[in-house]
Amino acid sequence: MQWPTHEVTNQVPELQDYNIFSSDAVLMQGLEHFQASWHQTDLLRYGAELGSKEILQLGELANHHLPELQTHDRNGLRIDRVAFHASWHQLLDLLRKEGLQALPRMQPQKGAHVARAAGYYLQSQVEAGSLCPTTMTFAAIPVLQNEPALFAQLKDKLYARHHDARDLPIAQKTSIMIGMGMTEKQGGSDVRSNSTFAVPLATGGRGADYLLTGHKWFFSAPMCDAHLVLARTEAGLSCFFVPRWKPDGSKNAVLVQRLKEKLGNRSNSSSEVEFQDALGIMVGEDGRGIPTIIEMANLTRLDCVIGSAALMRHALTQAIHHARHRSAFGRLLADQPLMRNVLADLALESEAATLLMLKLASALDAPDDLLSRAWKRIITPAAKFWICKRTLEFTGECMEVWGGNGYVESGPMARMYREAPVNSIWEGSGNVMCLDVLRAIARDPQGMQLLLAQLDTSSAPALQRLALELQAELNATPEQQEMRARRFTQKLVLGMQALLMLELAPPAHATAFINSRLDPECGRIYGSLGADCEQALQQEILERALASS
């Protein structure tokens, strides 16, 4: 017999059956500003679908029922297959139906990259692991387009708006996914130390067949139908298209040794593999593997920014929803001055991150514009450094809003917190990004000056001063620049975010962002907005972030 000991009260109802898109005023405004409003009807439908109880549960299921490696079948034959829960395949089908693996190529028009970024941002708020093969497929397409004969065989399957979960040779499938494998045990980010080697089957060269021998320490999504990998030839590191199955229908010799047991991103399988004379087709010029694949890296880095901005948005939404329904000490949390300060501060951070990811996506839509090129090449790695790092602190703060309820796995906050670090690490950790910012500036000093000119001509004196500080940093010695690269990158990103807030946010909101982010006394702790951001303004910021219901 169960004895009733208490009545359950003051518990927050689950946030579900809401429209993830229409509840985000910043995203909707940004879509129009960056000329992608033609996609709004689709995003309204998609936002409602993603916010439904049924779809939100798919994310929970995919992270509860983890992928399992099956190295052999029951007869002892090597199969190297990873089995997934049905929810994983349903999530991938959602992504494919929206064309998020190829939208700008399928519907090339103004704002196409922004439209795709918005859809990716929405699904990121439901489940992050399924984004990995989607991102890699999206980023692989421009690399493969440089090989017309190979791309002609793959195009329809890459652009298909459905997910084909069957483990079959590419010729027998209706849609395919592409992964990537670059890092090895001895090198990590230092891919120039790779030891995997490739031997030509005949004359060799671009488009020719090779046999690869070696390993990859992080081989993302091994159930992808093919991977782009780096291997060494006599000419140096080269890029290869390595299919899961050979054209004759036999399994390629890519042996999955084990799956990684990761902190987060658990629904997605990351693996260690060995190549034992695995068939690979050379993509790009012999010995030019890194330049061949660099465009892929730039696109995946942008998706890291989008994914982290989406984690911020989802965590913020959950925190505001919780605070509006939970009481403590006689008042709703949302009505208490200190909590309101924290939430408003978080809302400003989320808005600036969202605007930055949309701006970077829009830069891809204007490849010939010098300023857009500077945003793409210089600010993308800077944004990946800063936004992805801020997400760790951000999700932790939102978890704290929930208190003990946020620390248990039955709610959404713990999964978001575990998910937050991956984007800081994947595709280059913080130091790698900051050094890449310096390299990008060295290659495009004119572009950097165009960025500084935007700060210098802004209406905010604080940004004009920031432009002078950044210019002074550029005059330092190379060793000093490297030593201070993180400080420089942080200032640069904050300056670009402030510009976007001035352009798109309500003036008082932009002022609050600038005053807090460029004020050393505020530090990096959320909830330190000053006297210039009082109760009425904080409430206005929160209503913009998530309208009361």
Side-chain angles (χ1 to χ4, degrees):
M1 181 179 294
Q2 291 185 345
W3 291 89
T5 61
H6 64 282
E7 181 183 356
V8 177
T9 62
N10 199 27
Q11 287 291 316
V12 177
E14 287 190 42
L15 179 61
Q16 58 190 20
D17 294 324
Y18 73 108
N19 192 309
I20 296 179
F21 178 66
S22 64
S23 63
D24 192 338
V26 175
L27 182 62
M28 294 184 70
Q29 178 188 356
L31 200 72
E32 181 174 356
H33 178 81
F34 292 111
Q35 299 180 280
S37 56
W38 51 267
H39 198 50
Q40 180 168 305
T41 301
D42 284 337
L43 290 172
L44 279 167
R45 169 192 48 78
Y46 193 37
E49 184 178 13
L50 291 174
S52 68
K53 177 181 179 179
E54 293 74 20
I55 299 301
L56 291 171
Q57 285 180 340
L58 292 180
E60 296 177 10
L61 288 169
N63 283 270
H64 179 72
H65 301 281
L66 304 186
E68 297 180 358
L69 174 61
Q70 302 166 347
T71 56
H72 297 77
D73 68 11
R74 65 181 181 179
N75 296 319
L77 295 176
R78 186 96 196 199
I79 57 173
D80 297 285
R81 183 175 298 151
V82 181
F84 293 89
H85 188 264
S87 56
W88 167 262
H89 296 297
Q90 289 175 270
L91 289 165
L92 284 174
D93 201 47
L94 279 172
L95 287 157
R96 294 295 293 236
K97 283 178 179 177
E98 299 305 316
L100 298 181
Q101 86 290 355
L103 184 65
R105 278 92 194 181
M106 297 158 63
Q107 297 177 254
Q109 57 185 297
K110 190 69 175 176
H113 280 281
V114 176
R116 186 260 174 185
Y120 188 95
Y121 174 86
L122 293 181
Q123 179 130 354
S124 299
Q125 296 176 53
V126 174
E127 205 285 311
S130 53
L131 300 172
C132 178
T134 306
T135 281
M136 293 188 296
T137 303
F138 174 67
I141 289 174
V143 177
L144 295 170
Q145 283 177 323
N146 293 324
E147 299 298 329
L150 177 60
F151 187 70
Q153 302 172 38
L154 306 175
K155 179 180 177 181
D156 290 345
K157 303 173 195 293
L158 288 168
Y159 289 1
R161 284 188 180 255
H162 65 275
H163 169 58
D164 186 345
R166 298 175 299 165
D167 185 22
L168 295 171
I170 288 175
Q172 300 176 37
K173 295 196 66 173
T174 55
S175 73
I176 59 173
M177 298 187 299
I178 309 296
M180 60 193 299
M182 292 193 282
T183 61
E184 297 183 2
K185 292 183 178 74
Q186 72 282 354
S189 296
D190 182 13
V191 295
R192 295 186 186 278
S193 67
N194 281 10
S195 61
T196 296
F197 63 90
V199 177
L201 277 173
T203 56
R206 191 167 189 166
D209 290 345
Y210 283 73
L211 295 180
L212 278 63
T213 301
H215 80 282
K216 295 298 172 185
W217 186 233
F218 278 94
F219 198 69
S220 296
M223 288 308 292
C224 284
D225 300 282
H227 286 74
L228 291 176
V229 307
L230 292 176
R232 193 170 296 281
T233 66
E234 291 184 359
L237 279 177
S238 301
C239 180
F240 294 90
F241 177 86
V242 179
R244 178 165 167 76
W245 295 84
K246 295 180 182 179
D248 65 6
S250 63
K251 185 185 172 300
N252 206 2
V254 180
L255 308 185
V256 181
Q257 302 302 301
R258 62 174 175 174
L259 300 184
K260 300 286 192 181
E261 295 185 16
K262 299 173 293 184
L263 168 69
N265 206 244
R266 292 180 178 177
S267 68
N268 176 47
S269 60
S270 300
S271 65
E272 301 167 21
V273 301
E274 290 186 358
F275 304 130
Q276 296 182 2
D277 280 347
L279 175 69
I281 302 168
M282 183 176 285
V283 175
E285 296 179 28
D286 194 5
R288 298 281 295 167
I290 294 178
T292 297
I293 214 166
I294 196 67
E295 184 173 2
M296 188 175 185
N298 285 334
L299 290 173
T300 53
R301 288 171 179 178
L302 174 56
D303 275 7
C304 287
V305 177
I306 301 170
S308 288
L311 271 176
M312 283 188 184
R313 172 63 191 175
H314 188 204
L316 173 69
T317 302
Q318 291 285 357
I320 295 175
H321 174 75
H322 182 90
R324 286 174 177 169
H325 290 83
R326 178 78 167 179
S327 296
F329 310 110
R331 283 189 294 175
L332 287 172
L333 290 175
D335 293 335
Q336 301 189 26
L338 186 53
M339 178 60 77
R340 191 170 51 242
N341 192 318
V342 170
L343 293 172
D345 207 354
L346 290 166
L348 290 173
E349 187 80 18
S350 175
E351 177 164 0
T354 300
L355 294 178
L356 183 57
M357 70 94 175
L358 291 173
K359 175 66 176 180
L360 293 174
S362 75
L364 296 174
D365 289 321
D368 298 326
D369 179 73
L370 293 179
L371 181 56
S372 293
R373 193 180 305 169
W375 276 89
K376 171 189 170 183
R377 188 65 191 91
I378 298 172
I379 305 302
T380 296
K384 183 190 177 302
F385 165 75
W386 183 245
I387 301 300
C388 297
K389 261 191 201 321
R390 287 294 272 170
T391 304
L392 274 75
E393 298 168 282
F394 193 101
T395 53
E397 192 71 62
C398 290
M399 180 188 289
E400 193 171 325
V401 172
W402 274 50
N405 288 340
Y407 199 66
V408 295
E409 294 289 350
S410 57
M413 307 306 287
R415 173 153 60 96
M416 278 189 274
Y417 187 68
R418 284 188 283 100
E419 198 69 48
V422 68
N423 286 328
S424 274
I425 298 169
W426 193 43
E427 287 307 306
S429 54
N431 284 356
V432 174
M433 291 300 97
C434 292
L435 294 175
D436 195 42
V437 170
L438 296 182
R439 282 191 291 270
I441 293 171
R443 293 191 186 105
D444 187 12
Q446 180 186 5
M448 184 62 202
Q449 291 305 313
L450 290 173
L451 294 172
L452 290 179
Q454 286 192 290
L455 293 173
D456 191 46
T457 56
S458 75
S459 59
L463 297 189
Q464 297 168 13
R465 292 192 296 271
L466 182 61
L468 293 175
E469 293 175 15
L470 290 169
Q471 185 63 65
E473 295 274 4
L474 292 174
N475 295 331
T477 66
E479 184 173 348
Q480 289 172 329
Q481 285 187 32
E482 181 173 334
M483 181 186 70
R484 300 199 291 258
R486 284 188 171 218
R487 178 176 177 174
F488 175 86
T489 302
Q490 174 181 335
K491 286 184 175 182
L492 179 60
V493 176
L494 288 174
M496 297 299 107
Q497 287 184 302
L499 283 175
L500 292 169
M501 291 290 283
L502 284 170
E503 184 177 9
L504 292 169
H509 300 202
T511 299
F513 178 85
I514 293 170
N515 289 349
S516 58
R517 271 55 182 179
L518 299 183
D519 180 0
E521 291 186 9
C522 284
R524 290 174 57 171
I525 300 299
Y526 294 108
S528 55
L529 297 175
D532 61 316
C533 190
E534 296 183 347
Q535 177 179 341
L537 179 55
Q538 290 177 8
Q539 192 60 44
E540 182 183 305
I541 291 170
L542 291 177
E543 281 297 315
R544 177 172 166 81
L546 186 66
S548 298
S549 57

